[in-house]
Short mmCIF file of all heavy atoms in Angstrom, two decimals:
data_model
loop_
_atom_site.label_atom_id
_atom_site.label_comp_id
_atom_site.label_asym_id
_atom_site.label_seq_id
_atom_site.Cartn_x
_atom_site.Cartn_y
_atom_site.Cartn_z
N MET J 1 45.46 -48.08 -44.48
CA MET J 1 46.01 -49.35 -44.07
C MET J 1 45.55 -50.45 -45.04
O MET J 1 44.45 -50.38 -45.57
CB MET J 1 45.51 -49.75 -42.69
CG MET J 1 46.19 -49.07 -41.56
SD MET J 1 47.72 -49.92 -41.22
CE MET J 1 48.49 -48.73 -40.21
N GLN J 2 46.38 -51.45 -45.19
CA GLN J 2 46.03 -52.58 -46.02
C GLN J 2 45.19 -53.56 -45.22
O GLN J 2 45.28 -53.62 -44.02
CB GLN J 2 47.27 -53.30 -46.49
CG GLN J 2 48.18 -52.46 -47.36
CD GLN J 2 49.46 -53.22 -47.69
OE1 GLN J 2 49.79 -54.20 -47.04
NE2 GLN J 2 50.17 -52.75 -48.67
N GLY J 3 44.38 -54.31 -45.94
CA GLY J 3 43.63 -55.36 -45.28
C GLY J 3 44.26 -56.73 -45.52
O GLY J 3 45.06 -56.86 -46.42
N ASP J 4 43.90 -57.67 -44.70
CA ASP J 4 44.42 -59.02 -44.93
C ASP J 4 43.45 -59.75 -45.86
O ASP J 4 42.52 -59.17 -46.42
CB ASP J 4 44.62 -59.77 -43.62
CG ASP J 4 43.33 -60.05 -42.88
OD1 ASP J 4 42.26 -59.77 -43.40
OD2 ASP J 4 43.40 -60.55 -41.75
N ALA J 5 43.65 -61.03 -46.06
CA ALA J 5 42.83 -61.81 -46.99
C ALA J 5 41.37 -61.85 -46.60
O ALA J 5 40.51 -62.07 -47.41
CB ALA J 5 43.38 -63.24 -47.09
N ARG J 6 41.08 -61.65 -45.30
CA ARG J 6 39.69 -61.66 -44.83
C ARG J 6 39.05 -60.28 -44.92
O ARG J 6 37.92 -60.11 -44.54
CB ARG J 6 39.65 -62.17 -43.40
CG ARG J 6 40.11 -63.62 -43.28
CD ARG J 6 40.21 -64.01 -41.84
NE ARG J 6 41.06 -63.10 -41.10
CZ ARG J 6 42.25 -63.40 -40.58
NH1 ARG J 6 42.72 -64.61 -40.71
NH2 ARG J 6 42.96 -62.51 -39.93
N GLY J 7 39.81 -59.26 -45.33
CA GLY J 7 39.27 -57.94 -45.46
C GLY J 7 39.39 -57.07 -44.22
O GLY J 7 38.89 -55.96 -44.18
N CYS J 8 40.06 -57.56 -43.18
CA CYS J 8 40.23 -56.79 -41.94
C CYS J 8 41.42 -55.87 -42.08
O CYS J 8 42.41 -56.19 -42.73
CB CYS J 8 40.47 -57.73 -40.76
SG CYS J 8 39.13 -58.87 -40.48
N GLU J 9 41.33 -54.70 -41.45
CA GLU J 9 42.48 -53.82 -41.44
C GLU J 9 43.53 -54.34 -40.47
O GLU J 9 43.19 -54.83 -39.39
CB GLU J 9 42.06 -52.41 -41.04
CG GLU J 9 41.39 -51.66 -42.13
CD GLU J 9 41.29 -50.18 -41.85
OE1 GLU J 9 41.88 -49.70 -40.88
OE2 GLU J 9 40.60 -49.51 -42.63
N LEU J 10 44.77 -54.21 -40.85
CA LEU J 10 45.86 -54.65 -39.99
C LEU J 10 46.39 -53.45 -39.22
O LEU J 10 46.50 -52.36 -39.76
CB LEU J 10 46.96 -55.31 -40.82
CG LEU J 10 46.48 -56.56 -41.56
CD1 LEU J 10 47.55 -57.09 -42.48
CD2 LEU J 10 46.06 -57.63 -40.58
N ALA J 11 46.68 -53.65 -37.98
CA ALA J 11 46.98 -52.55 -37.06
C ALA J 11 48.38 -51.97 -37.22
O ALA J 11 48.58 -50.79 -36.97
CB ALA J 11 46.77 -52.99 -35.63
N TYR J 12 49.35 -52.78 -37.62
CA TYR J 12 50.74 -52.32 -37.65
C TYR J 12 51.35 -52.57 -39.02
O TYR J 12 51.16 -53.62 -39.62
CB TYR J 12 51.58 -53.04 -36.58
CG TYR J 12 51.00 -52.80 -35.22
CD1 TYR J 12 50.15 -53.72 -34.64
CD2 TYR J 12 51.30 -51.63 -34.51
CE1 TYR J 12 49.60 -53.48 -33.38
CE2 TYR J 12 50.74 -51.40 -33.27
CZ TYR J 12 49.90 -52.33 -32.71
OH TYR J 12 49.34 -52.10 -31.48
N LYS J 13 52.11 -51.58 -39.51
CA LYS J 13 52.76 -51.69 -40.79
C LYS J 13 54.25 -51.42 -40.60
O LYS J 13 54.64 -50.49 -39.89
CB LYS J 13 52.19 -50.66 -41.76
CG LYS J 13 52.74 -50.77 -43.16
CD LYS J 13 52.03 -49.80 -44.09
CE LYS J 13 52.57 -49.91 -45.48
NZ LYS J 13 51.92 -48.98 -46.40
N MET J 14 55.09 -52.26 -41.20
CA MET J 14 56.54 -52.08 -41.14
C MET J 14 57.03 -51.78 -42.54
O MET J 14 56.62 -52.43 -43.51
CB MET J 14 57.20 -53.36 -40.64
CG MET J 14 58.70 -53.30 -40.59
SD MET J 14 59.46 -54.90 -40.32
CE MET J 14 60.03 -55.25 -41.96
N ILE J 15 57.90 -50.78 -42.63
CA ILE J 15 58.57 -50.49 -43.90
C ILE J 15 60.06 -50.62 -43.66
O ILE J 15 60.59 -50.06 -42.71
CB ILE J 15 58.21 -49.08 -44.41
CG1 ILE J 15 56.70 -49.00 -44.69
CG2 ILE J 15 59.03 -48.72 -45.64
CD1 ILE J 15 56.22 -47.63 -45.09
N ALA J 16 60.72 -51.38 -44.55
CA ALA J 16 62.15 -51.60 -44.47
C ALA J 16 62.76 -51.11 -45.78
O ALA J 16 62.30 -51.47 -46.87
CB ALA J 16 62.46 -53.06 -44.23
N GLU J 17 63.82 -50.29 -45.66
CA GLU J 17 64.49 -49.76 -46.84
C GLU J 17 66.01 -49.93 -46.73
O GLU J 17 66.57 -49.76 -45.64
CB GLU J 17 64.20 -48.27 -47.02
CG GLU J 17 62.74 -47.97 -47.26
CD GLU J 17 62.49 -46.49 -47.48
OE1 GLU J 17 62.91 -45.98 -48.54
OE2 GLU J 17 61.93 -45.87 -46.58
N ARG J 18 66.62 -50.28 -47.87
CA ARG J 18 68.07 -50.36 -47.93
C ARG J 18 68.47 -50.23 -49.40
O ARG J 18 67.91 -50.93 -50.25
CB ARG J 18 68.56 -51.68 -47.34
CG ARG J 18 70.07 -51.84 -47.39
CD ARG J 18 70.53 -53.08 -46.64
NE ARG J 18 70.12 -54.27 -47.39
CZ ARG J 18 70.34 -55.51 -46.96
NH1 ARG J 18 70.91 -55.72 -45.80
NH2 ARG J 18 69.97 -56.53 -47.68
N ASP J 19 69.45 -49.38 -49.65
CA ASP J 19 69.89 -49.13 -51.03
C ASP J 19 68.66 -48.78 -51.87
O ASP J 19 67.96 -47.84 -51.55
CB ASP J 19 70.65 -50.33 -51.58
CG ASP J 19 71.89 -50.66 -50.75
OD1 ASP J 19 72.50 -49.72 -50.20
OD2 ASP J 19 72.24 -51.86 -50.65
N ASN J 20 68.42 -49.51 -52.93
CA ASN J 20 67.27 -49.20 -53.79
C ASN J 20 66.11 -50.15 -53.58
O ASN J 20 65.24 -50.28 -54.43
CB ASN J 20 67.70 -49.27 -55.28
CG ASN J 20 68.67 -48.16 -55.62
OD1 ASN J 20 68.60 -47.07 -55.08
ND2 ASN J 20 69.60 -48.47 -56.52
N GLU J 21 66.07 -50.80 -52.44
CA GLU J 21 65.02 -51.77 -52.14
C GLU J 21 64.10 -51.25 -51.04
O GLU J 21 64.55 -50.58 -50.12
CB GLU J 21 65.63 -53.09 -51.69
CG GLU J 21 66.47 -53.77 -52.74
CD GLU J 21 67.06 -55.04 -52.19
OE1 GLU J 21 68.18 -54.97 -51.63
OE2 GLU J 21 66.41 -56.10 -52.32
N LYS J 22 62.85 -51.61 -51.14
CA LYS J 22 61.85 -51.19 -50.14
C LYS J 22 60.83 -52.32 -50.00
O LYS J 22 60.29 -52.81 -51.00
CB LYS J 22 61.16 -49.91 -50.55
CG LYS J 22 60.19 -49.36 -49.55
CD LYS J 22 59.65 -48.03 -50.01
CE LYS J 22 58.71 -47.43 -48.99
NZ LYS J 22 58.22 -46.10 -49.41
N TYR J 23 60.56 -52.72 -48.77
CA TYR J 23 59.59 -53.76 -48.47
C TYR J 23 58.60 -53.27 -47.42
O TYR J 23 58.99 -52.50 -46.53
CB TYR J 23 60.28 -55.04 -47.98
CG TYR J 23 61.11 -55.69 -49.03
CD1 TYR J 23 62.47 -55.41 -49.14
CD2 TYR J 23 60.55 -56.60 -49.94
CE1 TYR J 23 63.24 -55.99 -50.13
CE2 TYR J 23 61.32 -57.19 -50.93
CZ TYR J 23 62.67 -56.87 -51.01
OH TYR J 23 63.43 -57.46 -51.98
N SER J 24 57.39 -53.74 -47.52
CA SER J 24 56.33 -53.35 -46.60
C SER J 24 55.62 -54.60 -46.09
O SER J 24 55.32 -55.50 -46.88
CB SER J 24 55.36 -52.41 -47.28
OG SER J 24 54.31 -52.07 -46.44
N PHE J 25 55.36 -54.65 -44.79
CA PHE J 25 54.64 -55.76 -44.18
C PHE J 25 53.59 -55.20 -43.25
O PHE J 25 53.81 -54.19 -42.59
CB PHE J 25 55.59 -56.63 -43.34
CG PHE J 25 56.73 -57.20 -44.13
CD1 PHE J 25 57.91 -56.52 -44.20
CD2 PHE J 25 56.60 -58.40 -44.81
CE1 PHE J 25 59.00 -57.03 -44.91
CE2 PHE J 25 57.65 -58.92 -45.53
CZ PHE J 25 58.87 -58.22 -45.60
N ALA J 26 52.46 -55.87 -43.14
CA ALA J 26 51.42 -55.47 -42.20
C ALA J 26 51.03 -56.66 -41.36
O ALA J 26 50.95 -57.79 -41.85
CB ALA J 26 50.20 -54.95 -42.99
N ARG J 27 50.81 -56.39 -40.09
CA ARG J 27 50.43 -57.44 -39.14
C ARG J 27 49.45 -56.89 -38.12
O ARG J 27 49.47 -55.71 -37.80
CB ARG J 27 51.63 -58.00 -38.38
CG ARG J 27 52.71 -58.66 -39.22
CD ARG J 27 52.24 -60.04 -39.67
NE ARG J 27 53.27 -60.72 -40.47
CZ ARG J 27 53.41 -60.63 -41.77
NH1 ARG J 27 52.62 -59.86 -42.47
NH2 ARG J 27 54.35 -61.30 -42.40
N GLU J 28 48.64 -57.75 -37.58
CA GLU J 28 47.73 -57.38 -36.48
C GLU J 28 48.47 -57.38 -35.15
O GLU J 28 48.18 -56.60 -34.26
CB GLU J 28 46.54 -58.36 -36.44
CG GLU J 28 45.52 -58.02 -35.38
CD GLU J 28 44.84 -56.67 -35.60
OE1 GLU J 28 44.64 -56.27 -36.75
OE2 GLU J 28 44.51 -56.02 -34.60
N SER J 29 49.45 -58.26 -35.02
CA SER J 29 50.16 -58.45 -33.75
C SER J 29 51.35 -57.49 -33.61
O SER J 29 52.23 -57.45 -34.46
CB SER J 29 50.67 -59.88 -33.64
OG SER J 29 51.56 -60.03 -32.59
N ARG J 30 51.34 -56.77 -32.53
CA ARG J 30 52.47 -55.88 -32.18
C ARG J 30 53.75 -56.69 -31.99
O ARG J 30 54.83 -56.30 -32.44
CB ARG J 30 52.05 -55.19 -30.87
CG ARG J 30 52.60 -53.96 -30.57
CD ARG J 30 52.02 -53.33 -29.32
NE ARG J 30 51.22 -54.16 -28.44
CZ ARG J 30 50.41 -53.68 -27.53
NH1 ARG J 30 50.26 -52.41 -27.38
NH2 ARG J 30 49.73 -54.49 -26.77
N LEU J 31 53.62 -57.81 -31.30
CA LEU J 31 54.79 -58.66 -31.01
C LEU J 31 55.44 -59.15 -32.31
O LEU J 31 56.65 -59.13 -32.47
CB LEU J 31 54.37 -59.82 -30.13
CG LEU J 31 55.47 -60.80 -29.73
CD1 LEU J 31 56.54 -60.10 -28.93
CD2 LEU J 31 54.88 -61.95 -28.95
N LEU J 32 54.62 -59.64 -33.24
CA LEU J 32 55.16 -60.18 -34.50
C LEU J 32 55.81 -59.10 -35.36
O LEU J 32 56.85 -59.33 -35.96
CB LEU J 32 54.05 -60.90 -35.29
CG LEU J 32 53.53 -62.20 -34.68
CD1 LEU J 32 52.40 -62.75 -35.53
CD2 LEU J 32 54.65 -63.20 -34.55
N ILE J 33 55.20 -57.94 -35.44
CA ILE J 33 55.76 -56.88 -36.29
C ILE J 33 57.07 -56.36 -35.69
O ILE J 33 58.03 -56.09 -36.42
CB ILE J 33 54.75 -55.75 -36.57
CG1 ILE J 33 55.14 -54.99 -37.85
CG2 ILE J 33 54.61 -54.79 -35.44
CD1 ILE J 33 54.85 -55.70 -39.12
N VAL J 34 57.15 -56.26 -34.37
CA VAL J 34 58.40 -55.81 -33.72
C VAL J 34 59.48 -56.86 -33.91
O VAL J 34 60.63 -56.52 -34.20
CB VAL J 34 58.17 -55.47 -32.23
CG1 VAL J 34 59.50 -55.28 -31.50
CG2 VAL J 34 57.31 -54.23 -32.10
N ALA J 35 59.16 -58.13 -33.78
CA ALA J 35 60.15 -59.20 -33.97
C ALA J 35 60.70 -59.15 -35.38
O ALA J 35 61.92 -59.22 -35.60
CB ALA J 35 59.53 -60.54 -33.65
N LYS J 36 59.82 -59.03 -36.36
CA LYS J 36 60.25 -58.95 -37.75
C LYS J 36 61.10 -57.72 -38.00
O LYS J 36 62.16 -57.78 -38.64
CB LYS J 36 59.04 -58.95 -38.68
CG LYS J 36 59.40 -58.91 -40.17
CD LYS J 36 58.18 -58.94 -41.06
CE LYS J 36 57.66 -60.27 -41.37
NZ LYS J 36 58.55 -61.20 -42.05
N ALA J 37 60.70 -56.59 -37.44
CA ALA J 37 61.43 -55.35 -37.63
C ALA J 37 62.82 -55.41 -37.01
O ALA J 37 63.79 -54.91 -37.57
CB ALA J 37 60.64 -54.17 -37.04
N ARG J 38 62.93 -56.04 -35.86
CA ARG J 38 64.24 -56.17 -35.20
C ARG J 38 65.18 -57.03 -36.03
O ARG J 38 66.37 -56.71 -36.15
CB ARG J 38 64.07 -56.77 -33.80
CG ARG J 38 63.57 -55.75 -32.82
CD ARG J 38 63.48 -56.31 -31.42
NE ARG J 38 63.18 -55.26 -30.48
CZ ARG J 38 62.60 -55.45 -29.31
NH1 ARG J 38 62.23 -56.65 -28.93
NH2 ARG J 38 62.36 -54.44 -28.51
N VAL J 39 64.68 -58.09 -36.63
CA VAL J 39 65.52 -58.94 -37.49
C VAL J 39 66.02 -58.14 -38.70
O VAL J 39 67.19 -58.13 -39.01
CB VAL J 39 64.75 -60.20 -37.93
CG1 VAL J 39 65.51 -60.94 -39.01
CG2 VAL J 39 64.50 -61.10 -36.73
N TRP J 40 65.11 -57.45 -39.34
CA TRP J 40 65.51 -56.67 -40.53
C TRP J 40 66.48 -55.55 -40.15
O TRP J 40 67.45 -55.31 -40.87
CB TRP J 40 64.27 -56.10 -41.22
CG TRP J 40 63.52 -57.13 -42.03
CD1 TRP J 40 62.86 -58.23 -41.56
CD2 TRP J 40 63.38 -57.17 -43.44
NE1 TRP J 40 62.31 -58.92 -42.60
CE2 TRP J 40 62.62 -58.30 -43.75
CE3 TRP J 40 63.82 -56.34 -44.47
CZ2 TRP J 40 62.29 -58.63 -45.07
CZ3 TRP J 40 63.49 -56.68 -45.76
CH2 TRP J 40 62.74 -57.81 -46.05
N ALA J 41 66.24 -54.88 -39.04
CA ALA J 41 67.15 -53.82 -38.60
C ALA J 41 68.54 -54.38 -38.29
O ALA J 41 69.55 -53.76 -38.62
CB ALA J 41 66.58 -53.11 -37.37
N SER J 42 68.61 -55.58 -37.71
CA SER J 42 69.88 -56.20 -37.40
C SER J 42 70.66 -56.58 -38.66
O SER J 42 71.89 -56.74 -38.62
CB SER J 42 69.68 -57.43 -36.51
OG SER J 42 69.18 -58.52 -37.27
N GLU J 43 69.97 -56.68 -39.78
CA GLU J 43 70.61 -56.99 -41.06
C GLU J 43 70.92 -55.75 -41.87
O GLU J 43 71.25 -55.82 -43.04
CB GLU J 43 69.73 -57.96 -41.84
CG GLU J 43 69.61 -59.31 -41.14
CD GLU J 43 68.69 -60.27 -41.86
OE1 GLU J 43 68.05 -59.89 -42.88
OE2 GLU J 43 68.57 -61.41 -41.38
N GLY J 44 70.83 -54.57 -41.23
CA GLY J 44 71.23 -53.33 -41.88
C GLY J 44 70.15 -52.56 -42.61
O GLY J 44 70.44 -51.58 -43.28
N TRP J 45 68.91 -52.96 -42.44
CA TRP J 45 67.80 -52.24 -43.08
C TRP J 45 67.38 -51.06 -42.21
O TRP J 45 67.44 -51.12 -40.99
CB TRP J 45 66.60 -53.18 -43.27
CG TRP J 45 66.86 -54.22 -44.30
CD1 TRP J 45 67.54 -55.41 -44.11
CD2 TRP J 45 66.45 -54.23 -45.65
NE1 TRP J 45 67.55 -56.12 -45.27
CE2 TRP J 45 66.90 -55.42 -46.24
CE3 TRP J 45 65.75 -53.31 -46.43
CZ2 TRP J 45 66.66 -55.71 -47.58
CZ3 TRP J 45 65.49 -53.61 -47.76
CH2 TRP J 45 65.97 -54.81 -48.32
N GLN J 46 66.92 -49.98 -42.84
CA GLN J 46 66.30 -48.86 -42.13
C GLN J 46 64.83 -49.22 -41.97
O GLN J 46 64.12 -49.39 -42.95
CB GLN J 46 66.43 -47.56 -42.94
CG GLN J 46 67.86 -47.14 -43.19
CD GLN J 46 68.60 -46.83 -41.90
OE1 GLN J 46 68.07 -46.15 -41.03
NE2 GLN J 46 69.79 -47.36 -41.75
N VAL J 47 64.39 -49.37 -40.71
CA VAL J 47 63.07 -49.92 -40.43
C VAL J 47 62.23 -48.91 -39.64
O VAL J 47 62.74 -48.28 -38.71
CB VAL J 47 63.18 -51.24 -39.64
CG1 VAL J 47 61.82 -51.80 -39.31
CG2 VAL J 47 64.03 -52.24 -40.38
N VAL J 48 60.96 -48.81 -39.99
CA VAL J 48 60.00 -47.99 -39.26
C VAL J 48 58.71 -48.79 -39.15
O VAL J 48 58.26 -49.40 -40.12
CB VAL J 48 59.73 -46.65 -39.98
CG1 VAL J 48 58.61 -45.88 -39.29
CG2 VAL J 48 60.99 -45.81 -40.06
N ILE J 49 58.10 -48.77 -37.97
CA ILE J 49 56.78 -49.36 -37.76
C ILE J 49 55.79 -48.23 -37.55
O ILE J 49 56.05 -47.29 -36.80
CB ILE J 49 56.78 -50.28 -36.52
CG1 ILE J 49 57.72 -51.46 -36.72
CG2 ILE J 49 55.36 -50.77 -36.23
CD1 ILE J 49 57.89 -52.32 -35.47
N THR J 50 54.65 -48.35 -38.19
CA THR J 50 53.57 -47.37 -38.02
C THR J 50 52.37 -48.09 -37.41
O THR J 50 52.00 -49.18 -37.86
CB THR J 50 53.16 -46.76 -39.38
OG1 THR J 50 54.31 -46.23 -39.99
CG2 THR J 50 52.13 -45.65 -39.20
N ASP J 51 51.79 -47.48 -36.36
CA ASP J 51 50.62 -48.11 -35.72
C ASP J 51 49.32 -47.63 -36.38
O ASP J 51 49.34 -46.84 -37.34
CB ASP J 51 50.61 -47.87 -34.20
CG ASP J 51 50.41 -46.42 -33.80
OD1 ASP J 51 50.01 -45.58 -34.65
OD2 ASP J 51 50.61 -46.11 -32.61
N GLN J 52 48.20 -48.12 -35.88
CA GLN J 52 46.89 -47.79 -36.47
C GLN J 52 46.54 -46.33 -36.39
O GLN J 52 45.71 -45.86 -37.14
CB GLN J 52 45.79 -48.66 -35.84
CG GLN J 52 45.55 -48.39 -34.37
CD GLN J 52 46.43 -49.22 -33.44
OE1 GLN J 52 47.46 -49.78 -33.85
NE2 GLN J 52 46.04 -49.33 -32.20
N ASP J 53 47.20 -45.56 -35.49
CA ASP J 53 46.96 -44.14 -35.38
C ASP J 53 47.90 -43.31 -36.23
O ASP J 53 47.83 -42.08 -36.21
CB ASP J 53 47.08 -43.72 -33.91
CG ASP J 53 46.05 -44.37 -33.02
OD1 ASP J 53 44.89 -44.56 -33.49
OD2 ASP J 53 46.36 -44.71 -31.87
N GLY J 54 48.82 -43.97 -36.94
CA GLY J 54 49.77 -43.26 -37.80
C GLY J 54 51.04 -42.87 -37.10
O GLY J 54 51.89 -42.20 -37.69
N LYS J 55 51.23 -43.23 -35.84
CA LYS J 55 52.44 -42.90 -35.09
C LYS J 55 53.56 -43.84 -35.56
O LYS J 55 53.37 -45.06 -35.64
CB LYS J 55 52.22 -43.05 -33.61
CG LYS J 55 53.45 -42.70 -32.78
CD LYS J 55 53.09 -42.50 -31.33
CE LYS J 55 54.29 -42.30 -30.44
NZ LYS J 55 55.32 -41.45 -30.89
N ALA J 56 54.72 -43.26 -35.87
CA ALA J 56 55.87 -44.03 -36.35
C ALA J 56 56.85 -44.33 -35.23
O ALA J 56 57.07 -43.49 -34.35
CB ALA J 56 56.56 -43.27 -37.46
N TYR J 57 57.40 -45.55 -35.28
CA TYR J 57 58.38 -46.00 -34.28
C TYR J 57 59.64 -46.49 -35.00
O TYR J 57 59.57 -47.35 -35.87
CB TYR J 57 57.82 -47.17 -33.48
CG TYR J 57 56.60 -46.83 -32.67
CD1 TYR J 57 55.33 -46.89 -33.24
CD2 TYR J 57 56.70 -46.45 -31.33
CE1 TYR J 57 54.20 -46.57 -32.50
CE2 TYR J 57 55.57 -46.13 -30.59
CZ TYR J 57 54.33 -46.19 -31.18
OH TYR J 57 53.21 -45.90 -30.45
N ALA J 58 60.80 -45.92 -34.63
CA ALA J 58 62.10 -46.37 -35.12
C ALA J 58 62.61 -47.42 -34.16
O ALA J 58 62.09 -47.59 -33.06
CB ALA J 58 63.05 -45.17 -35.20
N PRO J 59 63.68 -48.17 -34.53
CA PRO J 59 64.18 -49.25 -33.67
C PRO J 59 64.40 -48.87 -32.18
O PRO J 59 64.01 -49.67 -31.32
CB PRO J 59 65.47 -49.67 -34.36
CG PRO J 59 65.17 -49.45 -35.82
CD PRO J 59 64.35 -48.17 -35.82
N PRO J 60 64.93 -47.69 -31.85
CA PRO J 60 65.09 -47.39 -30.44
C PRO J 60 63.77 -47.29 -29.66
O PRO J 60 63.74 -47.34 -28.43
CB PRO J 60 65.80 -46.04 -30.42
CG PRO J 60 66.46 -45.93 -31.75
CD PRO J 60 65.54 -46.67 -32.69
N GLU J 61 62.65 -47.15 -30.37
CA GLU J 61 61.34 -47.00 -29.74
C GLU J 61 60.49 -48.27 -29.75
O GLU J 61 59.35 -48.24 -29.28
CB GLU J 61 60.57 -45.89 -30.47
CG GLU J 61 61.28 -44.57 -30.46
CD GLU J 61 60.66 -43.57 -31.42
OE1 GLU J 61 60.46 -43.91 -32.61
OE2 GLU J 61 60.32 -42.47 -30.95
N PHE J 62 61.04 -49.37 -30.24
CA PHE J 62 60.25 -50.60 -30.33
C PHE J 62 59.78 -51.10 -28.96
O PHE J 62 58.67 -51.60 -28.84
CB PHE J 62 61.04 -51.72 -31.03
CG PHE J 62 61.23 -51.49 -32.53
CD1 PHE J 62 62.11 -52.27 -33.23
CD2 PHE J 62 60.51 -50.52 -33.20
CE1 PHE J 62 62.29 -52.09 -34.59
CE2 PHE J 62 60.70 -50.32 -34.58
CZ PHE J 62 61.59 -51.14 -35.25
N ASP J 63 60.58 -50.93 -27.93
CA ASP J 63 60.16 -51.34 -26.59
C ASP J 63 58.93 -50.56 -26.12
O ASP J 63 58.05 -51.09 -25.46
CB ASP J 63 61.29 -51.21 -25.57
CG ASP J 63 62.35 -52.29 -25.77
OD1 ASP J 63 62.03 -53.37 -26.31
OD2 ASP J 63 63.51 -52.06 -25.35
N ARG J 64 58.89 -49.28 -26.47
CA ARG J 64 57.70 -48.45 -26.12
C ARG J 64 56.47 -48.96 -26.84
O ARG J 64 55.37 -48.97 -26.28
CB ARG J 64 57.96 -46.98 -26.48
CG ARG J 64 58.78 -46.26 -25.50
CD ARG J 64 58.74 -44.76 -25.62
NE ARG J 64 57.90 -44.25 -26.70
CZ ARG J 64 58.21 -43.18 -27.43
NH1 ARG J 64 59.32 -42.55 -27.23
NH2 ARG J 64 57.40 -42.79 -28.37
N LEU J 65 56.62 -49.38 -28.07
CA LEU J 65 55.49 -49.93 -28.81
C LEU J 65 54.98 -51.20 -28.15
O LEU J 65 53.78 -51.38 -28.00
CB LEU J 65 55.91 -50.20 -30.26
CG LEU J 65 54.84 -50.83 -31.16
CD1 LEU J 65 53.60 -49.95 -31.25
CD2 LEU J 65 55.41 -51.08 -32.54
N LEU J 66 55.88 -52.06 -27.72
CA LEU J 66 55.49 -53.30 -27.04
C LEU J 66 54.78 -53.04 -25.73
O LEU J 66 53.89 -53.77 -25.34
CB LEU J 66 56.69 -54.21 -26.82
CG LEU J 66 57.28 -54.87 -28.06
CD1 LEU J 66 58.54 -55.62 -27.71
CD2 LEU J 66 56.25 -55.79 -28.70
N ALA J 67 55.18 -51.98 -25.03
CA ALA J 67 54.62 -51.67 -23.72
C ALA J 67 53.24 -50.99 -23.83
O ALA J 67 52.50 -50.94 -22.85
CB ALA J 67 55.57 -50.77 -22.93
N ALA J 68 52.92 -50.51 -25.03
CA ALA J 68 51.63 -49.76 -25.19
C ALA J 68 50.44 -50.67 -25.01
O ALA J 68 50.47 -51.83 -25.16
CB ALA J 68 51.61 -49.11 -26.57
#
């Protein structure tokens, strides 16, 4: 996992891919990473969120991630 500017590990990582582009974001907040992932998915990106345990969540599973 990547750390933030303070050196802390971030719990959630989002990867968005479309065509030949790939972006990665990391956040501590489950709510923020799901919100960002939903926006990107609505714009046609293939999005996956990975939690601190390495479990991957696709858009249909985002509600389960929020409920965890």
Side-chain angles (χ1 to χ4, degrees):
M1 281 278 165
Q2 297 176 343
D4 66 6
R6 296 173 305 248
C8 300
E9 283 195 10
L10 298 174
Y12 302 96
K13 184 175 181 181
M14 179 192 103
I15 297 175
E17 296 182 70
R18 180 173 70 183
D19 301 327
N20 293 327
E21 297 178 270
K22 183 176 182 178
Y23 293 93
S24 178
F25 302 92
R27 297 285 182 270
E28 183 62 34
S29 168
R30 205 174 13 198
L31 180 62
L32 291 177
I33 202 76
V34 169
K36 181 179 274 301
R38 284 183 171 156
V39 169
W40 283 67
S42 75
E43 295 177 356
W45 291 82
Q46 299 297 314
V47 179
V48 174
I49 296 174
T50 305
D51 68 12
Q52 65 272 18
D53 297 324
K55 181 165 174 41
Y57 297 86
E61 302 168 307
F62 289 168
D63 287 335
R64 281 195 359 217
L65 178 59
L66 288 175

